[in-house]
Every structure is written in structure tokens, then in C-alpha cells.
Amino acid sequence: MSSSRLDPWVDAYAQRTAEMQASEIRALFAVASRPEVVSLAGGMPFVQALSMDMMAETVSRLLLERGAVALQYGSGQGDVVLREQILEVMADVQVSAHPDDIVVTTGSQMALDLVTRVFCDPGDVVLVEAPSYVGALGVFRAYECDVIHVAMDEQGLNPAALEEAIAALAAQGRSAKMLYTIPSFHNPAGVTQSQPRRAEILQLAQRAGILVLEDDPYGLLGFDGEAPAAIRAHDEEGVIYLGSFSKTIASGLRVGWAVAPHGVREKLVLAAESAVLCPSNYSQLTISEYLATQPWREQIKTYRELYRERRDALLESLEQLMPQGTTWTTPAGGFYSWVTLPEGLDAKAMLPRAVAALVAYVPGTGFYVDGSGHEHMRLSYCYPEPDRIREGVRRLAGVIEGELEIAHTFGTSSTLRTSSGTNVPGPDLQ
Ligand code: PMP
């Protein structure tokens, strides 16, 4: 019996909880949230850009006019008027569907959970980008999926690498159940798939009979021109599309959705009902009221401009201050840039020194299930003001320079690669 005093139930847990572990760096993030630290770590949307007066008015009108509905249970599939409004929002990424094929969820995070619950048995293979979104990796691990990373480049998921991964599985007599991809303004890599590449990826998945799970919370937050057309715009049967109001309106309302092929939709609703009965009517109707009465396209434009200014502050200061040998991606939208450190440095081992220098980031290892990613870090520019971003990069550049000096003096770095165990970070790493 190996139960500990801290957790007397440790021997009673289900097998699947073995995969549910808090990240070893979570404790550091408690320190990193202190106001003197510039955090380039979290992915919190800058909701302060919303007019709180307008929000208060919207909520107050909702309660006064439809309070008894907003505060009641609702449909497991989600409010029908909101589902129609979601169609309007998705028109910008060229997704068309019937409102019956939309399932409203408690953030798109819940949609990730429902889709995995419906499709994946323990041991089923899920292909994901290398790196990939921490919250999705956590879901796949919790359902005991076999997660396999597929290489990316500056245009996102690499089709040749995908083809190779599919062939390698076939050679073992296996096949993948799902391909999870974030085609636009990737978290954490900051890159975007070109349209021809999306078509190629879709074709490979179709040929191998693999369901595409397309996660698109940032699609409307591009900095130049039109929003990229979703993969789902080209295939209604082989793709489940996930959207969210977290980044375009407010993450605290926890409203996202899935667009699923007709047959799948029913299973998702049954899974949703068993998890939460129904998504919050109050949150859904708040979003619905907001979409019906406020200039929401203008608000998304405000967000885009704000994030573009912050992206520019990040890129300009990286350009000016980062030591030679450091590289990074140039995001055309979304919240993140993916940084590669000079040869031999280790972002995870360096983090305590960065936090001591009052700057925080997320080490690359969190975005892989196989312990790789030591040479990378994710920097997010969504939350701090531009001047704070510049100050954060100045501090970070100083830390990296210090590491390089040690490496130069002693022939090795103080951040020598840490052992590569698996690492499943917690939800604090948005
Ligand atoms: N997918 C990706 C790629 C994300 O970055 C996030 C949040 N950071 C989510 C899904 C979940 O978002 P939400 O549940 O707030 O809709």
C-alpha cells in the first residue's frame, strides 16, 4: 500500500489519472504573477478593451427583459438563436452549416473534451502539431490517447511530415483516429497554414480516413486583411470545427462551440448532457444579446489593432535586443511568438533565472508530450502594454546573454539540457 498522508486516496484513483499531472513549473508561475514581473507567459485576452459600461448595460437589459430564461436550465445543444448568430460569425472564415449542426459548449476547451470522449478509446492515436496547445494535450492524455507529434515549419503543419507519420503508423498496422490542428495563428507557434497547404492536409487526412479536429479560436484575430478560410470551409463531413468567443468577446463568459457532421452532433450533445446538462444559459444569452445589440465587428477590430500594436512592440524589441543565434516566428495574428534559443541553451532550466530577473515565459517543453522542446519558449504579447513588453524583452535578452557568457567561459551553459521526461503542464499555461 503506497498511499501517502497527503493523499490517502492515491491508490483508489482510476488508471487515467496517471496522465493528469500538474506541471513542475506551475509553482514558478505563482511567483511570476506578481506585479513586478513582466509576464510574457499567459495567454489571457485583454478584456479591459471592452467597454464595461456597455457590458453592464447588456447584462442588465438581459436580466430585466429575459431574466427568467437566462437564469433557467437550457437546451443541451445550446440556445437556438445563439446558434444562428454563430453562423454569422463563422461566415468570416467561410464556414457554412445548419444551426442544428452546432453544439454550444463551455468554451472550446469543453468541445475538445467532448470530441475526444466521443471518438477516442485508450490507445487510439491522435496526431498533433509539434508543438501543440497545452490544453488539448491535457485532454488527449486524460483519455489515454497515444499522442504523436508531427513537424511544423513557418507555414504550420508540414504535409510531408504528416504523410510520413501516416505511413509509419500503417507500417505498424495502425492508423490515427484524429488529426488535431490549429491552422490559423497557432498556439504556441504563431504560424498560419497557407490555403494550398490546408487543402493538402485535408486531402491526406481524407485519404487515410482520419477525422480532422480543427481548432480556430484566433481565426478572426488576423492583423492583415481577411480572416483565413477554415479547413472546414472545404469539407463538411471529415472535419469538426471548434470556435470560441473567448478571444473575440470575453473568455470569462466561457462560450465556445463545435460544428460537427450531422451524425456526430447527436453524440456530442449526449456527451455534453452527461457532463453539464446544458451550457450556461446566462452566458449564452449574454453573448447573444451582445451580438444582437452591439457593434461586435468593431470590437473585434479594436482587439485586432491592440494585439497588432503589441505584436509589433514584441518583434521590434526582439530584433533590437536578442543575442545572435536567437530566432522567432512572426505571427500574422493571434497572441504568440515561438522563440528558438541559441544552440545549447535550455528554456526550462533558464526559467528560474528569468523569473528572478522579473520576466516570465512558458518553456517549450510544455507543448510536447515527449519531453522535447527544451530549446524553445513561447512569448505571448496579448496582455502586457507595449512598454511592458519592451521591458520584458530587455530583461529576457539580459538573461539569455548571461547564459551565453557562462557557456562561453565554462564551455557549457548553466542551463545544460535537463533530462527529458514527459511533462504535462496545467491549465494555468493558457
Ligand atoms: N484552443 C486553443 C488553441 C487555445 O489557445 C485555447 C485557449 N487558450 C482554447 C482552445 C480554449 O479556449 P476556450 O475554452 O476559452 O474557448
Side-chain angles (χ1 to χ4, degrees):
M1 178 106 179
S2 61
S3 62
S4 75
R5 265 185 348 132
L6 278 180
D7 186 355
W9 290 102
V10 72
D11 292 327
Y13 287 143
Q15 188 72 41
R16 75 183 78 89
T17 61
E19 301 291 347
M20 299 177 187
Q21 296 154 23
S23 148
E24 352 164 359
I25 53 178
R26 198 183 274 190
L28 256 182
F29 282 107
V31 182
S33 62
R34 299 222 298 252
E36 61 273 27
V37 176
V38 176
S39 180
L40 303 171
M44 286 195 300
F46 194 73
V47 293
Q48 291 90 322
L50 283 170
S51 152
M52 294 303 161
D53 286 346
M54 172 277 291
M55 265 303 176
E57 221 177 86
T58 305
V59 169
S60 152
R61 193 171 46 247
L62 170 66
L63 288 176
L64 292 173
E65 290 175 9
R66 291 192 287 157
V69 182
L71 300 177
Q72 188 53 273
Y73 288 123
S75 129
Q77 185 171 359
D79 181 72
V80 66
V81 175
L82 178 62
R83 285 190 272 126
E84 274 161 16
Q85 291 167 308
I86 285 171
L87 291 179
E88 231 181 286
V89 173
M90 288 193 302
D92 284 14
V93 289
Q94 295 171 43
V95 172
S96 57
H98 191 278
D100 277 0
D101 296 335
I102 296 176
V103 182
V104 181
T105 53
T106 303
S108 52
Q109 186 67 30
M110 182 181 166
L112 281 168
D113 187 281
L114 297 180
V115 170
T116 313
R117 188 184 311 196
V118 162
F119 279 94
C120 295
D121 287 313
D124 279 352
V125 174
V126 180
L127 300 174
V128 304
E129 282 133 353
S132 187
Y133 166 52
V134 171
L137 296 180
V139 172
F140 302 144
R141 299 281 303 255
Y143 285 100
E144 301 172 272
C145 301
D146 185 0
V147 177
I148 297 179
H149 286 286
V150 181
M152 303 173 85
D153 55 32
E154 60 292 341
Q155 273 191 62
L157 181 66
N158 185 322
L162 176 61
E163 199 168 9
E164 241 170 69
I166 293 171
L169 282 166
Q172 301 164 19
R174 303 174 78 198
S175 61
K177 205 45 134 359
M178 288 200 305
L179 166 65
Y180 170 69
T181 179
I182 310 159
S184 301
F185 320 127
H186 191 272
N187 177 8
V191 295
T192 296
Q193 290 167 16
S194 66
Q195 289 300 325
R197 187 167 275 201
R198 288 176 198 225
E200 220 178 317
I201 289 166
L202 179 60
Q203 211 179 27
L204 285 168
Q206 283 170 334
R207 214 185 304 146
I210 300 171
L211 174 69
V212 177
L213 179 54
E214 176 178 29
D215 192 6
D216 193 26
Y218 305 98
L220 298 184
L221 292 180
F223 304 141
D224 333 282
E226 310 238 299
I231 299 177
R232 169 60 173 66
H234 308 289
D235 180 15
E236 303 196 350
E237 286 304 313
V239 182
I240 296 181
Y241 175 91
L242 307 186
S244 174
F245 289 112
S246 285
K247 279 74 184 189
T248 48
I249 305 179
S251 48
L253 289 169
R254 311 301 304 124
V255 180
W257 68 90
V259 183
H262 201 74
V264 175
R265 183 263 299 165
E266 194 180 332
K267 282 282 185 221
L268 290 180
V269 173
L270 290 171
E273 285 170 350
S274 82
V276 294
L277 298 185
C278 63
S280 155
N281 243 13
Y282 177 73
S283 284
Q284 289 182 84
L285 296 194
T286 300
I287 297 268
S288 180
E289 184 76 19
Y290 171 89
L291 290 171
T293 61
Q294 303 299 329
W296 57 272
R297 284 179 196 283
E298 280 304 301
Q299 177 59 44
I300 294 179
K301 188 161 169 263
T302 304
Y303 273 134
R304 280 204 304 263
E305 284 166 3
L306 180 120
Y307 294 133
R308 181 173 45 204
E309 191 191 357
R310 292 174 186 199
R311 187 269 322 250
D312 290 345
L314 181 85
L315 294 180
E316 280 160 24
S317 40
L318 287 170
E319 194 64 56
Q320 282 162 11
L321 298 165
M322 276 292 150
Q324 236 193 341
T326 315
T327 59
W328 52 88
T329 57
T330 300
F335 288 2
Y336 314 102
S337 176
W338 184 242
V339 172
T340 306
L341 291 173
E343 174 93 45
L345 297 199
D346 182 327
K348 188 165 159 191
M350 191 173 84
L351 185 61
R353 272 181 290 282
V355 172
L358 304 181
V359 59
Y361 55 82
V362 183
T365 40
F367 304 96
Y368 294 83
V369 296
D370 59 6
S372 52
H374 284 266
E375 66 278 35
H376 298 290
M377 62 173 70
R378 186 192 75 178
L379 298 183
S380 53
Y381 47 83
C382 47
Y383 200 77
E385 308 272 351
D387 278 346
R388 294 283 287 166
I389 292 173
R390 284 186 267 270
E391 176 57 22
V393 172
R394 195 186 62 74
R395 292 173 189 174
L396 184 58
V399 173
I400 297 174
E401 254 152 28
E403 297 299 307
L404 286 171
E405 246 165 65
I406 295 169
H408 184 70
T409 312
F410 297 103
T412 179
S413 150
S414 66
T415 59
L416 253 189
R417 210 126 287 179
T418 48
S419 70
S420 61
T422 52
N423 176 28
V424 186
D428 44 349
L429 310 180
Q430 298 107 358

